[in-house]
């Protein structure tokens, strides 16, 4: 049974008793498919016919109804880890000088 491909998401398909909807990648819409893959943010990863993303990665505006995605929907809700830079940056104060 398919599970959500989003980083750190453990949701599985509805067949496992979950009430969270799972969505296939939009193979018929190449432009939107590219957006979805880019948002997944996995290096050298391509979805296959079993790849799914759960409803928790879409905002309310992406849905027509409770479970039906709009044809323009793109997932935008993710919990990626924080990225720390190794270079030092100078902090500039924006406070007015007195």
């Amino acid at each position: 049974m398919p599970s959500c491909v989003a980083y750190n998401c453990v949701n599985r398909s509805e067949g496992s008793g979950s009430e969270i909807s799972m969505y296939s990648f939009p193979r018929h819409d190449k432009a939107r498919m590219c957006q979805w893959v880019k948002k997944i943010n996995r290096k050298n990863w391509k979805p296959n016919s079993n790849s799914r993303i759960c409803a928790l990665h879409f905002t309310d505006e992406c849905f027509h109804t409770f479970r039906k995605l709009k044809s323009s929907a793109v997932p935008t809700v993710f919990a990626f880890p924080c990225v720390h830079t190794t270079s030092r940056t100078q902090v500039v104060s924006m406070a007015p000088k007195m």
Side-chain angles (χ1 to χ4, degrees):
M1 81 186 65
S3 60
C4 183
V5 298
Y7 175 81
N8 211 27
C9 188
V10 296
N11 292 320
R12 293 183 121 5
S13 67
E14 293 178 283
S16 64
S18 173
E19 293 186 23
I20 298 172
S21 297
M22 302 291 279
Y23 300 96
S24 297
F25 281 68
R27 295 187 171 278
H28 61 281
D29 184 340
K30 297 285 186 192
R32 194 161 58 113
M33 173 76 129
C34 288
Q35 289 177 311
W36 282 39
V37 171
K38 186 174 181 179
K39 293 290 184 177
I40 293 298
N41 197 26
R42 294 172 86 179
K43 188 175 182 177
N44 299 321
W45 181 83
K46 292 182 182 181
N48 62 37
S49 60
N50 292 320
S51 297
R52 302 285 187 275
I53 188 161
C54 75
L56 298 181
H57 302 288
F58 295 91
T59 61
D60 290 343
E61 294 79 26
C62 291
F63 295 92
H64 284 295
T65 61
F66 177 64
R67 292 184 181 228
K68 184 167 169 60
L69 277 179
K70 292 180 180 178
S71 62
S72 60
V74 175
T76 57
V77 181
F78 296 98
F80 295 115
C82 294
V83 176
H84 298 285
T85 60
T86 56
S87 63
R88 291 181 164 208
T89 57
Q90 183 178 7
V91 178
V92 178
S93 174
M94 298 303 286
K97 294 182 180 179
M98 302 230 176

